[in-house]
Amino acid sequence: MINVAIDGPAGAGKSTISRAAADKLGFIYVDTGALYRSVGVYALRNGIDTKSREKLKEALPKIKVELGFKDGVQHVFLNGEDVSDEIRLPKSSMAASDVSAVPEVRSFLFDLQRNIAEKNNCIMDGRDIGTVVLPNADVKIFLTASPESRAMRRYKELSAKGAAVGYEEVLSDLKERDYNDSHRKIAPLKPAKDSITVDTTLLSLDESIEKITDIIREHM
Ligand code: DC
């Protein structure tokens, strides 16, 4: 199977670019952030402190997270319920960042990610795919962009969905998540040694997709 790992900070365009590149190549696209977001949603719904390792550890046996693919689009199920929309709310993003710092949460989601990669040609995006989940991936890309341009894209995305958020709020949330994700002890966000860094600050979406697809094709 061909496995492509795409890591990078929030809002770098990982999901949009990975999905489009996967379409072009006929691979499935796996968004691993959705898994952490689902655990975050479980915690929020059940009044569990998203920063409490003990409480989260206790909750894990009650949580079942599954991924399904309908017409090539990933859906995520939390205890059988499709939570694909709810996981996108800003509060779910922050909860995901919190729960993702808990080692037991990471190991809980590890096998699921590995199993999908073993069975499918896929592009998997996240924070630790090239470093931890798929250290032997055929291609590893570290996708990044300036915080301001990432926040602007995220802001436009949320506004288009009708969310009442301001740009400044999105920027400060994003910086806080960047900090959390790259300073946690376990599997922090960092480029794998053998990854190719692509900065999309000055690239259009189409240019970014083309660049990533070209890199993958060159390595196949
Ligand atoms: O990619 P995303 O914004 O949907 O990810 C949500 C949170 O999940 C992010 O703040 C960090 C965490 N995450 C992670 O720790 N490891 C991954 N492979 C994917 C996401």
Side-chain angles (χ1 to χ4, degrees):
M1 289 297 150
I2 298 169
N3 291 164
V4 178
I6 301 194
D7 293 297
K14 292 191 301 293
S15 59
T16 313
I17 296 167
S18 303
R19 186 178 298 119
D23 268 359
K24 286 192 179 196
L25 297 162
F27 289 12
I28 63 164
Y29 160 58
V30 184
D31 161 18
T32 64
L35 305 173
Y36 294 91
R37 286 169 178 270
S38 302
V39 174
V41 164
Y42 181 90
L44 291 176
R45 283 183 178 183
N46 291 279
I48 295 165
D49 178 359
T50 53
K51 289 188 186 341
S52 164
R53 182 174 180 181
E54 283 314 310
K55 292 272 185 284
L56 286 163
K57 261 168 71 176
E58 244 174 70
L60 285 176
K62 293 177 221 149
I63 304 178
K64 191 167 178 208
V65 179
E66 293 160 297
L67 288 182
F69 297 89
K70 277 187 210 155
D71 303 324
V73 177
Q74 174 183 298
H75 287 256
V76 62
F77 299 87
L78 172 62
N79 292 337
E81 178 189 345
D82 189 340
V83 290
S84 307
D85 290 331
E86 189 171 346
I87 60 164
R88 296 296 151 204
L89 299 175
K91 63 178 180 186
S92 309
S93 309
M94 203 52 86
S97 182
D98 285 346
V99 302
S100 71
V102 172
E104 288 79 6
V105 171
R106 303 202 73 84
S107 46
F108 174 71
L109 297 172
F110 183 84
D111 289 346
L112 177 58
Q113 299 171 71
R114 266 286 176 82
N115 289 339
I116 295 173
E118 266 168 25
K119 296 191 186 97
N120 300 278
N121 289 330
C122 69
I123 298 184
M124 189 172 280
D125 89 15
R127 302 294 187 286
D128 62 337
I129 308 305
T131 50
V132 178
V133 179
L134 304 176
N136 299 319
D138 302 272
V139 191
K140 297 181 186 179
I141 295 169
F142 193 79
L143 199 66
T144 188
S146 73
E148 290 73 20
S149 71
R150 290 188 283 121
M152 185 48 77
R153 289 177 197 160
R154 191 48 63 92
Y155 166 70
K156 285 185 183 158
E157 228 171 75
L158 289 167
S159 305
K161 285 186 192 154
V165 285
Y167 167 75
E168 288 302 329
E169 187 192 340
V170 175
L171 179 62
S172 74
D173 271 16
L174 190 128
K175 284 185 172 168
E176 189 180 336
R177 281 215 286 150
D178 279 359
Y179 187 88
N180 286 348
D181 296 347
S182 46
H183 286 79
R184 65 177 177 227
K185 285 202 189 71
I186 180 162
L189 169 67
K190 62 167 189 225
K193 284 198 185 72
D194 48 351
S195 67
I196 300 163
T197 295
V198 175
D199 186 322
T200 65
T201 308
L202 301 173
L203 298 180
S204 69
L205 182 59
D206 285 345
E207 288 167 341
S208 306
I209 294 167
E210 206 176 301
K211 180 147 194 166
I212 298 301
T213 313
D214 286 349
I215 292 174
I216 298 170
R217 285 210 173 103
E218 276 165 28
H219 287 80
M220 269 163 63

